[in-house]
Amino acid sequence: MNTQLLHIVQNMPKAELHIHIEGSLEPELIFALAERNGVALDYPNVEALRAAYDFHDLQSFLDIYYAGASVLLKEQDFYDMTAAYLAKAKADHVRHTEIFFDPQTHTARGVPIGDVIHGIHRACQEGPVSATLIMCFLRHLSEEDALATLDAALPYRDLIIGVGLDSSEVGHPPEKFARVFARCRELGLHLVAHAGEEGPPAYIETALDVLKVERIDHGVRCLEDAALTRRVAAEGIALTVCPLSNIKLRVFDTMKEHNLLQLLDAGLVATVNSDDPAYFGGYLNENFVAAFESLPLGLQHAHQLARNSFTASFLEPEKKQQFLDEVDAYFAAFNVV
Ligand code: ADE
Ligand code: ZN
């Protein structure tokens, strides 16, 4: 592998647009918080928990992911988790991150939604990188539950830039959440949704047409539908692709079979992200390295992916341009235009 290219990719300025903060909870922190909060875990130690991270699909991961999140009870827990992620992001030369959180996972256990949001937000304010919050609705729950969650979050509206849709995809199509997304749109929130990870390309289409999302999370199955691919490219809808996640959850058998390069070649605004880094074997740079080691990606692709990460962000235009200029200046040193 070209070590200079890897060095360039690791050090380039970048944004992360698909990170579930609960998925950044490392086993060591899970055990520390379990002890601090007196929560019993099903595993005797960190090694046993890590050994259970052997997933065969999205649901087998989600079962363990929700169990891990059960140790989060206090505002300080959410702060500690977020501060740990932001330190990792900084080390990976992330300049800006748009962080997903799942309030229903916590409110169902009696945690006040204000504690969830304040803890994450406090770490973002102190954090070493620019960070904003996207509140996700759990699609395996009802739309009524999502509407109630939105109501509960209204006092914190200004701390959130957008909403998303995550959890078990198949059997829970985007259109199930038409009303709650329409309300969020009226509130001026940005809209994203997971679609085309395990679910069919039709879910990408209804996420766009019914929910009116601005970005698709994952979206890798888009390429199964040529007309949809042309549309997503023409509309400049970004896809937040998560390479290591896709291998761990068996969306692709191996990284060599990952379609990131085909997505870029189709003219799609694809980005690279970590999804749930504590569970899938690495943070953002590990995702870039895994993709660049296995796929015929070069310097031009690195430059494109760094640009895409900011282009697809919900940053204000001026801030976005500053970061894009920083990316271009970084690559100018390597004679890439
Ligand atoms: N929640 C956390 N990670 C997820 C993923 N990859 N897909 C759907 N829901 C999630
Ligand atoms: Zn995700």
Side-chain angles (χ1 to χ4, degrees):
M1 182 59 206
N2 179 340
T3 54
Q4 198 209 356
L5 178 58
L6 284 190
H7 181 83
I8 291 170
V9 165
Q10 287 171 311
N11 286 282
M12 69 188 186
K14 50 181 84 75
E16 175 149 63
L17 307 178
H18 185 160
I19 155 80
H20 302 263
I21 198 64
E22 295 88 349
S24 74
L25 202 49
E26 292 287 347
E28 289 76 8
L29 189 52
I30 291 180
F31 272 82
L33 294 179
E35 186 163 17
R36 188 158 100 188
N37 290 330
V39 174
L41 292 171
D42 285 343
Y43 302 89
N45 52 45
V46 164
E47 291 70 34
L49 176 58
R50 224 184 266 281
Y53 291 1
D54 181 22
F55 316 116
H56 51 270
D57 60 8
L58 177 56
Q59 194 58 52
S60 62
F61 155 68
L62 289 171
D63 293 342
I64 286 220
Y65 162 84
Y66 294 129
S70 70
V71 300
L72 295 159
L73 292 179
K74 302 277 191 311
E75 193 258 13
Q76 185 67 37
D77 305 338
F78 292 91
Y79 173 91
D80 291 343
M81 170 176 64
T82 309
Y85 161 68
L86 290 171
K88 299 268 196 188
K90 168 90 176 162
D92 282 353
H93 300 270
V94 171
R95 297 285 190 272
H96 173 69
T97 175
E98 299 183 358
I99 297 177
F100 293 152
F101 68 104
D102 289 338
Q104 289 154 296
T105 301
H106 314 298
T107 53
R109 293 180 288 108
V111 180
I113 194 167
D115 289 358
V116 177
I117 296 174
H118 278 140
I120 301 171
H121 179 255
R122 185 159 64 86
C124 290
Q125 286 216 297
E126 292 175 10
V129 304
S130 157
T132 49
L133 300 185
I134 296 179
M135 179 173 82
C136 289
F137 301 115
L138 299 180
R139 68 203 303 159
H140 69 272
L141 300 178
S142 68
E143 188 180 40
E144 282 64 36
D145 207 308
L147 284 162
T149 301
L150 177 60
D151 277 341
L154 284 181
Y156 315 99
R157 159 69 187 88
D158 292 346
L159 306 186
I160 297 166
I161 56 153
V163 296
L165 187 64
D166 64 3
S167 192
S168 323
E169 186 181 2
V170 175
H172 302 286
E175 51 272 31
K176 177 177 164 186
F177 296 91
R179 288 181 301 156
V180 70
F181 269 67
R183 273 204 63 200
C184 291
R185 198 156 170 253
E186 283 164 19
L187 289 165
L189 289 157
H190 285 292
L191 309 177
V192 299
H194 284 52
E197 176 187 17
E198 279 193 349
Y203 284 18
I204 298 175
E205 218 159 344
T206 52
L208 294 172
D209 290 337
V210 181
L211 302 189
K212 306 201 183 304
V213 301
E214 300 157 81
R215 289 198 302 246
I216 296 285
D217 296 312
H218 293 292
V220 290
R221 292 193 57 193
C222 176
L223 292 185
E224 293 171 28
D225 182 330
L228 176 64
T229 302
R230 282 193 297 275
R231 174 194 175 181
V232 173
E235 294 181 11
I237 303 287
L239 305 184
T240 61
V241 177
C242 306
L244 286 173
S245 166
N246 291 158
I247 305 311
K248 294 283 177 190
L249 303 188
R250 309 216 187 145
V251 175
F252 300 96
D253 289 337
T254 68
M255 194 61 85
K256 286 201 182 324
E257 290 155 271
H258 198 286
N259 67 4
L260 176 61
L261 180 54
Q262 286 93 311
L263 294 168
L264 290 169
D265 284 346
L268 300 171
V269 185
T271 64
V272 169
N273 306 272
S274 69
D275 206 5
D276 300 284
Y279 291 89
F280 297 149
Y283 288 78
L284 190 49
N285 272 357
E286 275 128 353
N287 275 269
F288 271 105
V289 167
F292 274 73
E293 277 182 337
S294 296
L295 300 171
L297 295 162
L299 204 51
Q300 302 277 2
H301 300 110
H303 190 184
Q304 189 67 55
L305 287 165
R307 291 196 114 258
N308 287 355
S309 72
F310 292 108
T311 305
S313 75
F314 295 135
L315 283 163
E316 296 300 322
E318 201 174 301
K319 195 79 202 153
K320 195 181 277 198
Q321 193 55 51
Q322 276 174 19
F323 284 125
L324 286 169
D325 290 345
E326 190 190 348
V327 169
D328 291 345
Y330 176 85
F331 280 94
F334 308 109
N335 289 324
V336 179
V337 283

